[in-house]
Every structure is written in C-alpha cells, then in structure tokens.
Amino acid sequence: MAPLDRKLARDLWRIKGQAVAIGAVIAVGVLLQVMMTGLVASLEETRAAYYQRYRLAGIFAPVARAPDRLQADLRRIPGVAAVETRVTGNALVDLPGRDVPVQARAVSLPDFGAPGLNGILLTDGRMFAGDRADEVVLLNSFARAHGLRPGDSISATMNGFRRGFTVAGLAQAPEFLVSAAPGDMVSEDGKYAVIWMSRTALGAAFDMKGAFNEALVALTRDARPQAVIDAIDLVLDRYGGSGAYGIEDLVSNRYITEEIGGLRSTSTSVPPVFLAVAAYLLYIVISRLVQAERGQIGLLKAFGYTDTEIGWHYFKLILSIAVGGALAGGLLGIAAGRAMVEFYLVYFKFPFLIFRVEPSSFLIGFGISILSASAGGVVVLRRVFSLTPADAMQAEAPEDFSRARRLGPVLARLLDQPSRMVLRRLTRQPWRMLGAVSGAAAGVALSAAMTSVLNSFDDMMDLSFNVLDRSDVMVSFIHPIEARSVFDLQSLPGVIEVEPVRMVRAILRNGRDDYRGQVTGLAPDARLFRALDGDRRDIYLPGDGIILSTGLARTLGIGAGEVLRLDIREGRRPVVEVPVTGVAESLMGAPAYMDLAALNRLLKEPLRVSGAYLRVDADRQAAIYRALKDMPMLAGVSVKAENRASMQKLMDQGAGGMRYVMALIAAVITFGVIYNAARVALAERAHDLASLRVLGFSRAEVSFVLLGELGVVVLLALPLGGVLGYGLAHAISAGFSTDLYQVPAHFDAASYGTAIAVVLVAALVSGWLVKRDIYRTDMVEALKTRE
C-alpha cells in the first residue's frame, strides 16, 4: 500500500465520527432519491401494463338512457378505435352483522365472453353464468374485507328493489384501482363494493333493456381526445349525456396520478437539500483537516510529492466519505422502496407491484453526491496547492485580532475568566461563528418545519371532521327528491337533527381553466355542514353567488368578484354564469358552495334535495342504520366516524406516513450538523485547551470554554432557525398538498417548541460526546501539534 493510502486510512479512522455523520446525511439524500424514483417508475410501468392488458377505455361517456343503436354512431367518430356500451347503477349491499349498509356500484359485463373494453381479472371462483340473473362477481378487496367467498349469498338494493345474489367469483379491475365510495376521500376496502353482473340481468334491474347508460371508448394513436369527447357529447346530448371525460378524470386514475406526481416532485426537491448540507459539512471538516496538517503537507512537498498527488490524496478522502454514504444510501433506498411497495399495494389494487430499481437514480444519486462533496472540497484543495514547503512547515501566523471588539469593563468584571474566553472567541472570529450559527439554524429550521407539517395533518383532520362537518351521518338519495322527504329521516327515533343538501355535478370553467366536480347547495342556516372562511367563521351564502374552496379557486385562477361559468351536467344541463362571492377554507377535496334555493333555481327544480346530514343519538345508531337499510330511496350512507378513521389510517401509513420518515431524517440532520460543529471546534482548539489544563484549569472549566461556545451558537441559531423554519414549513406543506387534500402551513408555538427541544437534545448529546473526548485528550500529544 502506498504511503499516502496508509495515511488516508489513518485519517479516516481518526475522523470516523464526523465521517459517519456526514456519510449518513449523504446516505439519506441518496436513499430518498433511489426510493422515490424507483417507486415512480414502478407505479407508472405497472399502471400502464395493467391498463393495456385489460383494455381500460380512454374515454367514459355517461348518459341517462341511450338506445343500443347509437353504438354504431359512436364507432364512426374519427379517432375512435373501439366502443363498448354497458349499464351501471348504484346499489346498497346489506351484509349480515353490519348495521350500516354498504354503498356499491353495479356494472354490467356481456352475458357471454369477455368485454371489448374494461376487462376484469378473475382472482377466485368463476364468471357468472350468462343465463343466471342471480349470479354476480364481487370486487376482490371488498369480499375479502367481509370474509365473502364464491358460493356465499348477499342481498343488495338496486333501483329501489332488494334482490338476492350468489357470489360466483371475485375479481379486480384497473378501473377500480382505488375503491372509494362517492363523496369519500379515502379508499376503504370494506366500505365500497363493485358488483359485476350480466348485461341482461342488470339492464332489467335498471330498466335499460335495449339501452345503455354509459359508453366506453378506446382511441386510435392519432386521435385528438378533446375532439372525440366533443363529438361524443354531440351524439349523446339528446339522450341525457352528462358529459364525456377522459381517463385523466377517472377517480381511480386521479388518485394514483396524484400520488405519482407527489413522489416525483419530492424526489426532485428534497434530496438536493440533504446533499447540500453534506457538502457544507464536508467543506468544514476537510478545511479543518488541511489547516491542522499544514506541517505534514509541507513535509510531503519537501519530500517530492507534487501538488497534484497531495491534492488527489485529500480528494480521495472526500470521495471515500461521499461514495460510502452514496453506496449505503443506495442499498437502504432499495430496502425502503421494497417496504413501501407493500404499503402501496394496500391502497392501489394492482395484481402485483414489484419495486423497480431505476439505474438512472443510482447514477444521479452517486453523481450529485460526488459533485456536491467535491464542490466543498475543491475550495479547500486550493489551499493545498497554494502552500509552499517552507510556509507549510512553519507554524501558522497568529490570527489578527486587532479589529476584534473588546468586552465592556462592566461585562469583564461580571464574568469569570472561562466565560470571557467564550465571548472573546465569538467576537474575534465572527465569520466562523456565523457559519456555525447558520448550520445549526438549518437544523432548527428542518426540525421546526417537519414538526409543523406533522401538526398540520392533525389540524387538517380537526378542521375537516370536527369544525366543517358536525354531523354524524350523511345519506344520499338515488335521485333528487322533494325536500319534504327529509321529514321521513327526521321522524326516525334517535335522529336529533336533519339538514338537507343538494349536490350537482358540474364543470366549472374560468377561461381556459376548468374543473370537473360538483356544486354543493347548503341551507342558509346550515349547522351540520358549513362553509367557513379563513378565520373559521361561517360564510354567508348569497342568493345568486358561489363560494369556492381555496384549492379550487387556485386551480381555476379566480377570486372573489369575478364571474365563473357553470356547465351543469344534470337535469336540463343549463350553462350559466355566476359571480364568485368568496373563498372558503377547505382542506379536503375542491368543493364549491351555493345557497340551496339558488342552486335549485338554476336547475329550475325548486325544493329538491339529493341528500341530508344527520346528527343522531349515539346510543341509538344501530337502530337508525337498520331503519336506513329499509329505505329504498337511499343510494348511500356515509358514517363520519368511519371516514375519519380511514383518513387517519391513510395519513399514518402508506404515502401519508412519509412525513414521519422526513421528520426522523430532519432530526438526524440536526444532530449531524451540531455534532460536527462541536467536533470541529474541539479539533481546532485541542492545543489551546491542553494549554489551559497545563496552566491549572480544571477539566470542567476547560469543557466549559468549548461547550459554552457551542451553547451560544445554539442559542443564536434558535431564533434564526425559527424564521427559516416558517418559510420552509410553507414550502413543505405545499409539496405534500394534492388535489385530494391540502396540508395547511401550521407553524405555531408548539411546533417551534418541539424543534427547540430536538435541537437542545442534539446539543446535549453532542456536548456529552465531545466532553468525553476532552477528558480523554492526551495533553502532551495535543501540545506537540504545533511545535
């Protein structure tokens, strides 16, 4: 082994603590890079293959009732490769042992043979017999959640009539990657069912003999989707077409698209932060090392080693730390990615999902690690090249403190000698102290921001399930019914309060921006479900205006005082313009609110409601749910407590659980920054501290001189880190927010206090480790370093 290589090994062993801390920061950055890019590639490729294998349609065209002969007209539209028509409808499944009826979607398949589009993957049992109207195929995840197997019986209410069915088989389909009930924000296996039946049987149940209520369309390669959608709408318009939409608006596809987009965004923004911190730490450590080894560098040059050989020696030290960290990060990234796949399979019903390591992510991770580390090291290596043997072998000239500020006479009298040493150190090397304070402040900011995000998730849950929605149950009807029908609900024993609501499907347009959603009509004096402003006060719903949620207003690029175009997709399907009168606080979904009577006037359907919010007696819930099961007009029953539990589960596991990983990483970085600052200070002052011991200072006094400096650095970093953390919390909250939910930037005293606690613990642990090294210092060896 060459002499310089043996020296490299010894140097690495000597700074092993700092090397491990810096390598850990690099490893975290590469870990995130490998894990997230791998997950993005795995989800995208599996989704594309699943869609293609089971021929998922590119366009969905719901219609009230259209004759089968229109299928030929749709097939003749330029850009259309294939057309499949089917019957769909809502249903309520009654399961033994469960009080609350389960919402379901009934979907027809051809009586015999596979469908041309939107095929299904049979996982258990067999397909239903085409001539058996009572046989169905159930969604696999729903059946397993309730322990249903082929051969079991279920009953379901369809179009107002209860029917009994035999489960012939279980299946899953790309159309239902996420099985979330209409109105629910979270997928829950046991709360939403899909029932596949023969076209003949389901057509009879929904009075669709010789007709269909949904067309599926596959596009040719050169098709223009919007042109095809316009042509389909034109064909179906007179039959009650409610507006064709592309696969990008399919609910299931939107869930996974949002998830992939969030992962991609995080993978490009977060890892560079960690690698930048690592580069800064490497610069500090190597800078100190070169400074301490001036004499050795001079000797090496005197013995004939060139600047390039010595520079390459120190550069290999940098590379060893960077490559070691990147290698560990790559391996941990693969392990973390495989673990995350299991979480994703819980929410996205792929038949399989294999974590695919993206080779480019390895190259990018390694490349950025080495480049960022080199950036910090190159600055230091310039000093190596500039040293001549004669200069390097001399002791470094004492620093010029002539411009340093003096301590005031009063302050000098009040403080003891070790305290004055600490303050002189801070005032005589302000730039060095500023760098240490900046590093510690970065750690404070990271911890404060991540704590803020953790609290923001809790705030989102509280606002959505306690403040905005104060009901216990929400019911929806098969069709809009007369408002007086809610008295039937009010008359149920145990129902305390009932509040009507109407939800209308609509496309909201502002210039070139549009959003396919719904308008919610609320009663003027709504108490159970309210529209609130940013200060969480009730918003007055004007007679003819509309209130948009913050996320929806941002999506449409519109604000209060402007005019919004509403393309209603129900009833007479009017297209109207309404003024935006305000923006409401909402953290889930993208709701738009109107006065109930005003919405009905737009539709020219006065005194109609499509659902109701209920407040019920907790002791009589079971009896109420049993009564609701017997109401044929109901299309769905949604229990808020179950929705909240599902949302909390999503937040704590899977994608939402990523925030805990990030918080842990922030704590690791905070410790790494402070520990390195302490170690560097010890290495720089080993000679001075040993001198103090020889002069008679006790170990405690010597430790105070060093750790007092660390304490002041941490105290100065706390307010600066708070300011930085405030901005960082907003940026991270925006990164976690999606179209499905928004995470508010909730930076409060509790978040800041938690961050301070994390930093103080990191400082105490770092201080204890450094103090232990001070006690172990060989004074003779330390005093020899400059002579």
Side-chain angles (χ1 to χ4, degrees):
M1 181 181 288
L4 285 182
D5 290 336
R6 289 199 294 274
K7 180 178 181 301
L8 173 63
R10 286 198 300 269
D11 288 344
L12 280 173
W13 178 252
R14 182 157 49 89
I15 62 169
K16 54 184 179 297
Q18 292 162 270
V20 169
I22 297 169
V25 176
I26 294 175
V28 167
V30 177
L31 180 156
L32 291 174
Q33 176 80 26
V34 171
M35 180 186 71
M36 291 183 174
T37 53
L39 285 173
V40 168
S42 302
L43 290 171
E44 282 188 328
E45 293 186 6
T46 306
R47 177 180 64 172
Y50 195 28
Y51 284 4
Q52 184 179 17
R53 183 172 301 176
Y54 293 94
R55 307 172 300 281
L56 186 66
I59 293 177
F60 296 75
V63 60
R65 192 177 194 280
D68 284 339
R69 60 179 170 77
L70 283 188
Q71 185 172 348
D73 295 343
L74 295 174
R75 195 174 289 119
R76 283 194 288 269
I77 294 174
V80 172
V83 177
E84 180 89 11
T85 61
R86 66 183 184 180
V87 176
T88 65
N90 294 323
L92 278 183
V93 177
D94 185 9
L95 294 173
R98 178 179 167 84
D99 295 327
V100 183
V102 179
Q103 296 187 66
R105 182 172 174 79
V107 180
S108 76
L109 290 174
D111 293 352
F112 301 98
L117 296 174
N118 286 27
I120 64 173
L121 170 62
L122 196 65
T123 57
D124 291 275
R126 58 174 175 80
M127 282 296 293
F128 51 75
D131 55 351
R132 293 287 304 273
D134 62 341
E135 286 191 344
V136 298
V137 172
L138 267 185
L139 184 66
N140 184 312
S141 55
F142 169 79
R144 294 188 184 282
H146 293 285
L148 294 171
R149 294 181 297 179
D152 291 344
S153 299
I154 62 170
S155 66
T157 302
M158 294 181 181
N159 203 23
F161 296 94
R162 179 168 295 185
R163 305 165 190 276
F165 299 101
T166 300
V167 179
L170 309 180
Q172 60 189 80
E175 184 181 357
F176 300 102
L177 276 179
V178 173
S179 54
D184 287 354
M185 298 302 302
V186 183
S187 168
E188 183 73 21
D189 291 347
K191 289 181 58 185
Y192 189 62
V194 178
I195 303 172
W196 285 281
M197 296 174 58
S198 70
R199 173 70 176 269
T200 301
L202 196 58
F206 285 91
D207 191 23
M208 288 284 170
K209 187 176 181 181
F212 65 90
N213 61 7
E214 187 171 33
L216 308 174
V217 175
L219 300 173
T220 58
R221 289 182 180 275
D222 57 347
R224 291 185 299 124
Q226 190 55 52
V228 175
I229 288 174
D230 292 341
I232 292 172
D233 285 344
L234 193 62
V235 172
L236 299 180
D237 184 64
R238 60 180 297 194
Y239 299 96
S242 56
Y245 57 88
I247 191 173
E248 64 276 6
D249 287 322
L250 182 68
V251 173
S252 169
N253 188 64
R254 284 184 62 190
Y255 272 86
I256 192 168
T257 301
E258 286 286 337
E259 187 59 41
I260 292 173
L263 281 172
R264 181 179 286 112
S265 173
T266 307
S267 68
T268 56
S269 58
V270 175
V273 173
F274 292 90
L275 297 176
V277 172
Y280 171 75
L281 294 177
L282 267 176
Y283 167 74
I284 296 294
V285 171
I286 303 301
S287 175
R288 193 274 307 165
L289 190 64
V290 169
Q291 190 74 19
E293 294 189 351
R294 281 171 54 91
Q296 295 182 31
I297 293 172
L299 280 174
L300 290 172
K301 289 191 175 184
F303 278 111
Y305 284 96
T306 64
D307 289 344
T308 303
E309 289 172 325
I310 298 174
W312 176 238
H313 162 71
Y314 285 102
F315 195 67
K316 282 195 291 187
L317 181 65
I318 296 170
L319 288 181
S320 300
I321 298 173
V323 172
L327 188 61
L331 297 176
L332 291 173
I334 295 174
R338 288 177 174 170
M340 289 298 293
V341 160
E342 299 300 321
F343 286 116
Y344 279 107
L345 277 175
V346 173
Y347 292 97
F348 299 111
K349 309 304 178 189
F350 287 109
F352 61 87
L353 181 61
I354 299 174
F355 180 71
R356 179 179 180 276
V357 179
E358 190 69 12
S360 62
S361 66
F362 266 115
L363 296 176
I364 293 173
F366 272 76
I368 294 178
S369 302
I370 293 171
L371 287 175
S372 60
S374 302
V378 165
V379 178
V380 178
L381 293 181
R382 291 178 58 190
R383 299 182 192 174
V384 176
F385 294 141
S386 64
L387 283 174
T388 62
D391 290 338
M393 293 175 68
Q394 293 179 358
E396 190 178 6
E399 293 189 54
D400 181 10
F401 294 137
S402 61
R403 296 182 181 179
R405 293 179 181 273
R406 292 179 177 276
L407 297 176
V410 177
L411 196 60
R413 282 198 304 274
L414 292 177
L415 299 178
D416 58 10
Q417 194 170 17
S419 300
R420 293 198 298 271
M421 290 181 184
V422 172
L423 289 182
R424 286 196 186 99
R425 169 83 171 177
L426 295 173
T427 56
R428 288 173 176 175
Q429 295 179 321
W431 292 111
R432 185 172 295 183
M433 290 302 106
L434 182 61
V437 170
S438 301
V444 177
L446 276 174
S447 295
M450 291 314 305
T451 307
S452 169
V453 170
L454 291 177
N455 291 337
S456 297
F457 275 84
D458 296 335
D459 189 51
M460 178 186 70
M461 296 289 290
D462 180 62
L463 175 64
S464 301
F465 292 102
N466 292 334
V467 180
L468 285 173
D469 186 356
R470 298 191 291 194
S471 69
D472 297 312
V473 181
M474 192 269 176
V475 299
S476 57
F477 305 127
I478 297 174
H479 303 291
I481 61 175
E482 292 186 5
R484 62 185 180 184
S485 297
V486 299
F487 292 121
D488 295 339
L489 298 171
Q490 182 70 69
S491 64
L492 293 176
V495 174
I496 301 171
E497 193 174 359
V498 178
E499 195 170 274
V501 64
R502 181 160 191 187
M503 296 179 179
V504 178
R505 285 179 287 125
I507 301 176
L508 295 82
R509 304 183 193 276
N510 177 43
R512 301 180 64 180
D513 298 318
D514 60 64
Y515 182 82
R516 181 179 292 270
Q518 64 181 13
V519 180
T520 303
L522 299 176
D525 55 348
R527 284 169 31 81
L528 300 185
F529 191 89
R530 305 174 296 159
L532 304 177
D533 63 13
D535 296 324
R536 303 192 177 184
R537 296 173 302 191
D538 289 302
I539 294 180
Y540 167 70
L541 297 174
D544 55 355
I546 190 169
I547 304 289
L548 303 180
S549 63
T550 49
L552 182 55
R554 185 169 54 250
T555 300
L556 295 174
I558 196 170
E562 299 181 72
V563 176
L564 179 72
R565 187 178 184 186
L566 278 183
D567 190 352
I568 304 291
R569 310 309 297 179
E570 292 183 15
R572 295 177 176 82
R573 290 174 292 146
V575 179
V576 296
E577 292 186 341
V578 294
V580 178
T581 55
V583 176
E585 185 78 353
S586 177
L587 303 180
M588 289 193 181
Y593 305 108
M594 284 189 71
D595 176 73
L596 178 59
L599 182 58
N600 280 333
R601 279 198 301 274
L602 285 181
L603 296 164
K604 297 183 178 177
E605 296 176 355
L607 301 176
R608 292 277 171 173
V609 297
S610 60
Y613 290 96
L614 280 66
R615 189 162 66 89
V616 302
D617 184 346
D619 295 332
R620 309 182 74 170
Q621 284 185 347
I624 294 172
Y625 297 148
R626 285 195 294 272
L628 293 176
K629 283 183 179 179
D630 297 328
M631 290 188 168
M633 63 183 179
L634 293 187
V637 178
S638 179
V639 180
K640 189 179 75 172
E642 292 183 350
N643 292 337
R644 176 170 187 142
S646 301
M647 191 69 188
Q648 189 67 55
K649 185 178 177 183
L650 176 65
M651 292 295 102
D652 292 340
Q653 300 178 357
M658 182 64 72
R659 70 190 195 279
Y660 293 115
V661 177
M662 300 288 286
L664 178 63
I665 289 171
V668 170
I669 286 188
T670 302
F671 175 77
V673 169
I674 294 177
Y675 176 71
N676 271 284
R679 292 290 308 177
V680 168
L682 173 61
E684 288 176 343
R685 305 192 65 190
H687 181 273
D688 298 339
L689 298 177
S691 300
L692 291 176
R693 288 280 293 123
V694 171
L695 291 174
F697 282 74
S698 66
R699 287 178 173 176
E701 289 173 323
V702 171
S703 299
F704 176 79
V705 170
L706 182 66
L707 299 182
E709 175 186 325
L710 177 64
V712 174
V713 166
V714 170
L715 291 177
L716 292 176
L718 293 180
L720 178 60
V723 175
L724 295 174
Y726 180 82
L728 192 59
H730 282 75
I732 294 177
S733 295
F736 272 109
S737 298
T738 68
D739 279 356
L740 303 177
Y741 57 80
Q742 288 81 48
V743 179
H746 189 83
F747 193 86
D748 57 6
S751 305
Y752 187 45
T754 304
I756 290 176
V758 170
V759 171
L760 291 181
V761 169
L764 288 174
V765 173
S766 301
W768 177 77
L769 292 173
V770 172
K771 181 183 174 182
R772 188 187 60 174
D773 290 344
I774 292 174
Y775 282 22
R776 294 176 177 175
T777 301
D778 184 341
M779 290 187 291
V780 175
E781 190 66 26
L783 289 170
K784 285 166 60 180
T785 53
R786 293 189 182 180
E787 279 73 38

